[in-house]
Amino acid sequence: MNKLYFFLFLNSNLTKEQNITVIHDINATNLSRMRLILIIFILVEILFILFNDIPYLTNPSSTVVWNDNKYFILHLLTVFVSFIGFILIKILIKYDKKKPKLIHQSLIPALTILILSFMAIIDGLDQAKLGHISSVFMADLIIFSTVIMLRFPLNLAVYLIPFLTYLGGLITFQHNTETLISNSINGFIFFLAIILVSTEIYNSHHEKITKNMLLEELNFKLNYM
């Protein structure tokens, strides 16, 4: 039965090489999943730029959903970061040496922080609109936390930075006190739930990989005997 090992080492009885193998498998899975997420973000942000930001920049009086040139800058930054991240991931996957390098372990958290922070700022700007409910940032947060596997407390550190950015946007741009309180409370509840779910997903995947690896090693020994 899976447990939320927040303060314990998972499978501490593994050898150093076995632990490296498990971490490498998780990193490889994260790289593949992040590459897919980046492709989706690039396509979506380009559509926003073409059909919303550029029409407003060329004709500020036109009726568009988001009518602020700050959105164009943020969408452009998201595309740029996503594209650079996609290229780096392709390089890492191509020249993978079967060992978890520092860049493997830092690239995924860095990309997650940057992209979610951009989304948090965009959601903050949206707060200036009357009756806006924070949904886009929370949806992105849920997607990343369920698709990308990060162990506690790394997931807490990674998701806390965008979440604080989101709260800063709420305080800065949301002038309706009732909406501000409601979005803040709901956001905090979502954040706690996301940390729990993210931790459970990582632990479950870690346990599954470990069991399969140990089973393969046992079968190899039996066949050898």
Side-chain angles (χ1 to χ4, degrees):
M1 180 178 181
N2 295 329
K3 298 180 180 179
L4 295 175
Y5 295 100
F6 285 102
F7 303 108
L8 297 177
F9 290 102
L10 291 171
N11 297 291
S12 56
N13 57 328
L14 293 178
T15 65
K16 182 179 179 180
E17 289 300 321
Q18 288 174 332
N19 191 55
I20 288 176
T21 301
V22 173
I23 295 176
H24 174 271
D25 189 275
I26 293 176
N27 287 335
T29 302
N30 278 339
L31 287 173
S32 298
R33 292 181 177 183
M34 178 61 79
R35 183 172 59 175
L36 178 60
I37 291 177
L38 294 179
I39 293 175
I40 295 174
F41 265 85
I42 290 173
L43 294 176
V44 171
E45 295 303 308
I46 288 177
L47 289 176
F48 269 110
I49 291 174
L50 292 177
F51 295 102
N52 187 88
D53 299 336
I54 293 179
Y56 172 74
L57 293 175
T58 56
N59 183 18
S61 62
S62 63
T63 302
V64 292
V65 180
W66 289 276
N67 52 1
D68 194 314
N69 55 12
K70 298 184 184 68
Y71 289 106
F72 173 72
I73 297 174
L74 290 169
H75 290 153
L76 205 60
L77 284 173
T78 304
V79 172
F80 177 75
V81 171
S82 299
F83 180 75
I84 296 299
F86 178 79
I87 297 299
L88 290 175
I89 288 175
K90 285 200 68 174
I91 294 174
L92 288 178
I93 292 177
K94 183 177 180 180
Y95 297 101
D96 189 3
K97 302 301 181 181
K98 302 301 180 183
K99 289 185 179 180
K101 306 293 185 180
L102 178 61
I103 190 171
H104 286 73
Q105 302 176 29
S106 59
L107 179 60
I108 296 300
L111 288 173
T112 301
I113 291 173
L114 286 174
I115 294 176
L116 286 179
S117 294
F118 290 149
M119 295 298 104
I121 296 173
I122 292 175
D123 211 339
L125 292 173
D126 288 341
Q127 297 298 319
K129 300 177 179 64
L130 184 64
H132 177 76
I133 299 176
S134 302
S135 57
V136 176
F137 171 69
M138 288 302 166
D140 292 332
L141 198 59
I142 292 172
I143 292 173
F144 272 86
S145 63
T146 54
V147 174
I148 302 300
M149 294 175 291
L150 298 175
R151 182 186 177 184
F152 186 90
L154 178 60
N155 57 356
L156 177 61
V158 168
Y159 297 129
L160 182 61
I161 296 175
F163 182 70
L164 292 177
T165 304
Y166 160 77
L167 290 180
L170 280 178
I171 297 172
T172 303
F173 299 103
Q174 181 55 254
H175 303 298
N176 184 295
T177 304
E178 184 177 345
T179 304
L180 172 61
I181 295 175
S182 175
N183 284 353
S184 298
I185 294 176
N186 291 336
F188 185 72
I189 294 173
F190 266 108
F191 178 73
L192 291 180
I194 283 169
I195 297 301
L196 292 173
V197 171
S198 173
T199 302
E200 176 63 15
I201 290 174
Y202 180 94
N203 290 346
S204 177
H205 194 78
H206 189 286
E207 183 180 3
K208 179 180 178 181
I209 295 174
T210 301
K211 288 181 177 179
N212 290 338
M213 179 188 64
L214 295 177
L215 183 60
E216 288 179 2
E217 291 181 357
L218 180 59
N219 287 334
F220 177 80
K221 292 179 180 179
L222 291 175
N223 290 332
Y224 179 78
M225 293 174 62

